[in-house]
Amino acid sequence: MTYDLVVIGSGPGGYEGAIRASQNGLKVAIVERELLGGICLNWGCIPTKALLKSAEVFDKINHLGDYGLTGEKPGFDFEKVVQRSRAVAKQLNGGVGYLMKKNKIDVIEGFATLEPGKDAPKVRVKLNKGGEQVVEAKNVMLAVGARAREIPAIGAVSDGDRIWTYRNALSPNRMPKSLVVIGSGAIGIEFASFYRSLGAEVTVVEALDRILPVEDKEVSAEAQKAFEKRGFKFRIGAKVTKVEKSGAGVKVSVEVGGKAEVLEAEGCIVAVGIVANTENLGLEKLGVEMDRGHIKNDSHGKTNVKGLYAIGDCAGPPWLAHKASHEAVHAADYMAGKKLSNLNPPIPGCTYATPEVASVGITEQVAKEKGLDVKIGRFPFKANGKAIAAGEPGGFVKVIFDKKTGALLGAHLIGANVTEMVQGFCLAITMEATEEDLQGTVFPHPTMSEAILEASLDADGRMINL
Ligand code: NAD
């Protein structure tokens, strides 16, 4: 059979693109070498949220007294915490299987490679059950994702025992008493947050001059303060020169401000970014254009090869599930000649630690680099009634407007629940809202979202509750 579309990779990009293509009347197959749902559902976004929920509940019951409650000293069963996270991932993996059936999408389990074809490259699948299947289609969508970057030159490579990448950290062989986390991006900070909540001594090493370096500087500073309060240790501007096993643990050699230091711990998590899974697919032979290790695509996801699309992590930053889904759904609409969704929507970023961090649009630093004339407003949760009542007064909302037009350019949040609040800003930027629109919106009282209104008012010096 000739399909209209074969999708390679069933992460949130691939499976959502496949569903949209099927909704558009296309006959679709999806090839997956491992688990339906990809990294996000099985080894990333979802199982980490399950671990972090256990950590959050544990933190809260350790502070029962703050809420006028009493109880016995809480504990945890580490194996059960991990099992719960694995069960959540399994449930969602099953959910994707159900969605494939519901949308009449053929699932082919195996590893796909590409060869020259008629309308689009031909897909040859080495089946997991043995043997091969050749699949021809009018369109092929590469949604093959990415994996953890390791640095063999300095020994920062998973050994599955003491030196971990996110996969090991999600299905750990033990609860480490101490950890060195290399990298303070979302992965490093989320795992640092989880293991710290369960009592590990955690030191985070970051090569750049601040933690969460893609975030607004004020957010990085507030986050560092909040994490230090929770007992994290940081080495900032620190270059890791060697990671080695030593005794029953690891030794991580770092250079900070010209001085050498050795950090010792029971384990180490390598969280220094990702690499696209573009090897062994046959891309070179097809002449697929690449850009710094990623597949080059246009704004509809098309590569330079006829009938071949690439979306999500394998096609470049930001390496986020929701960006992959958006690109894939857009490409599936484009290839079916349907009405297209927004081409360049703002892509929010979230870090689900305690406290949470969320942002969308540009930072104050980027606005300065671009020479934009901006107006900035801020509102701290310590002046928000709901946050105080909830015992969550840390953090703030910061908004950045264009001074001339009033357009909302960026929003930066840190505090409890902010990953749920940032979507208001996503909608606002997508709809080209201005300062006036935000200031004229009625926010429900009492909610933490009122800080959005107050921060917008602050841009004009008209805050009400502070
Ligand atoms: P990242 O690129 O976001 O962060 C890696 C950090 O490691 C950077 O700050 C970098 O400066 C630092 N670093 C690199 N080499 C180093 C070295 N040798 N020594 C010390 N520090 C070093 O990567 P990540 O945290 O691994 O995440 C990978 C991708 O996955 C990111 O794009 C991230 O946004 C995405 N992700 C998102 C979420 C989320 O949305 N919550 C969760 C996990 C991952």
Side-chain angles (χ1 to χ4, degrees), residues 45 48-49 149 151 154 166 182-190 205-208 210-214 238-240 270-274 313 318-320 322 349-352:
C45 321
T48 48
K49 301 307 93 71
R149 181 166 83 94
I151 318 177
I154 58 165
Y166 59 79
I182 309 178
S184 74
I187 295 184
I189 289 296
E190 288 185 7
V205 182
E206 170 55 55
L208 297 179
R210 59 197 172 93
I211 68 162
L212 292 170
V214 296
K239 200 174 149 221
V240 175
V270 180
V272 294
I274 56 144
D313 285 1
W319 300 284
L320 296 167
H322 42 277
C350 295
T351 302
Y352 300 81

Side-chain angles (χ1 to χ4, degrees), residues 107-247:
V107 177
I108 304 171
E109 294 175 1
F111 187 86
T113 48
L114 303 182
E115 298 169 8
K118 205 165 111 241
D119 298 318
K122 199 191 277 183
V123 181
R124 184 177 296 276
V125 186
K126 191 163 181 268
L127 299 169
N128 290 350
K129 63 179 182 200
E132 262 190 10
Q133 183 177 346
V134 175
V135 194
E136 299 204 57
K138 292 188 187 125
N139 300 284
V140 172
M141 185 190 287
L142 286 169
V144 291
R147 61 181 184 277
R149 181 166 83 94
E150 295 171 282
I151 318 177
I154 58 165
V157 176
S158 160
D159 69 351
D161 178 27
R162 293 176 235 171
I163 306 173
W164 295 348
T165 60
Y166 59 79
R167 279 208 184 214
N168 312 116
L170 270 166
S171 54
N173 48 2
R174 64 184 173 286
M175 168 63 206
K177 287 196 183 64
S178 54
L179 269 176
V180 173
V181 176
I182 309 178
S184 74
I187 295 184
I189 289 296
E190 288 185 7
F191 281 117
S193 189
F194 168 70
Y195 282 104
R196 179 68 201 131
S197 289
L198 297 196
E201 292 297 326
V202 175
T203 305
V204 180
V205 182
E206 170 55 55
L208 297 179
D209 63 352
R210 59 197 172 93
I211 68 162
L212 292 170
V214 296
E215 299 295 346
D216 191 273
K217 265 188 188 167
E218 278 179 62
V219 169
S220 294
E222 179 81 6
Q224 185 173 339
K225 248 193 329 193
F227 294 140
E228 278 170 346
K229 224 168 136 189
R230 292 187 50 208
F232 288 40
K233 294 193 180 73
F234 289 101
R235 294 290 183 282
I236 313 285
K239 200 174 149 221
V240 175
T241 52
K242 194 161 194 143
V243 181
E244 58 199 319
K245 288 192 221 177
S246 148

